[in-house]
Amino acid sequence: MNGATMNRYEQLAERWRLQDTRAVAVQEALRSHSYLLLTELAAELGMEGKTWKEQNHPFHRKYVEYRLSPFAGSEGETRTDRYTADGELEFAIVLTFDHGEDHFPKTRFLVPLATRMYKQHPQFCLWDPHRKAPSEGFVWVATKPAVIQDVLSLLDAELTIDPFEGLPATSRLVRL
């Protein structure tokens, strides 16, 4: 290769390095904002740091916990962050409800969420992982308190259903 070709390659390589570094920084920022959302939701519910012990294992689980995948079952088992082709970070928060820390069974609800950067600011939404889009009836919001209100509204709607009146054909929340 001659010097001119190498210089052009080095210019392009430098652009790529900058772009790659910034892409990693965006992913780290999204991950941080998703964990901050978890912390704020747990605080809003008065459940920060509260745990329960699994019935057949010595493990303690949080009542409000982070899940790397918005999918239930084996489809949701992952050890890596999940980013869409558009750069959204998909994740979920799992909320556990029970009749007391030592009472079983417990009901665990999976709340799929996503976060993205929009004009260098995070946005959040309740997420439909199958459509890779905001859940029906929800939009991207610019603050953690706004998406927390969306989560609480969804939970309120789900948990005010009286089984004596009949359950809906499809639930908006997945039980784990």
Side-chain angles (χ1 to χ4, degrees), residues 7-170:
N7 285 339
R8 183 66 177 142
Y9 173 83
E10 285 302 319
Q11 290 171 349
L12 292 171
E14 187 57 36
R15 286 183 186 166
W16 173 84
R17 285 191 276 285
L18 177 61
Q19 185 182 58
D20 186 61
T21 299
R22 291 180 60 79
V24 169
V26 166
Q27 289 180 346
E28 289 173 358
L30 291 175
R31 188 177 313 109
S32 293
H33 286 293
S34 69
Y35 278 99
L36 289 170
L37 174 62
L38 171 78
T39 302
E40 288 187 30
L41 177 61
E44 176 74 22
L45 295 170
M47 298 302 289
E48 60 260 301
K50 295 194 177 173
T51 62
W52 55 276
K53 185 180 169 296
E54 289 190 14
Q55 191 170 17
N56 298 320
H57 303 287
F59 307 112
H60 284 265
R61 301 194 77 137
K62 292 184 177 182
Y63 278 91
V64 181
E65 65 184 7
Y66 189 89
R67 184 175 165 108
L68 288 171
S69 172
F71 293 101
S74 61
E75 188 179 5
E77 294 174 8
T78 182
R79 295 183 190 273
T80 60
D81 291 329
R82 298 176 61 102
Y83 294 93
T84 68
D86 292 330
E88 297 108 348
L89 171 62
E90 298 180 308
F91 64 100
I93 291 176
V94 177
L95 298 161
T96 301
F97 294 95
D98 59 23
H99 291 279
E101 182 181 336
D102 298 328
H103 290 84
F104 293 88
K106 298 184 183 299
T107 299
R108 301 176 71 222
F109 288 103
L110 179 77
V111 181
L113 295 151
T115 185
R116 69 178 183 185
M117 293 303 273
Y118 180 75
K119 297 184 179 181
Q120 299 185 10
H121 297 284
Q123 289 186 325
F124 306 89
C125 72
L126 285 165
W127 190 246
D128 181 334
H130 299 286
R131 291 186 14 224
K132 297 207 177 293
S135 292
E136 187 177 329
F138 295 95
V139 297
W140 289 101
V141 294
T143 66
K144 289 183 275 304
V147 78
I148 287 170
Q149 287 310 307
D150 286 346
V151 169
L152 296 177
S153 295
L154 183 61
L155 287 165
D156 280 338
E158 186 74 20
L159 298 175
T160 57
I161 296 169
D162 183 348
F164 281 109
E165 301 295 324
L167 295 172
T170 58

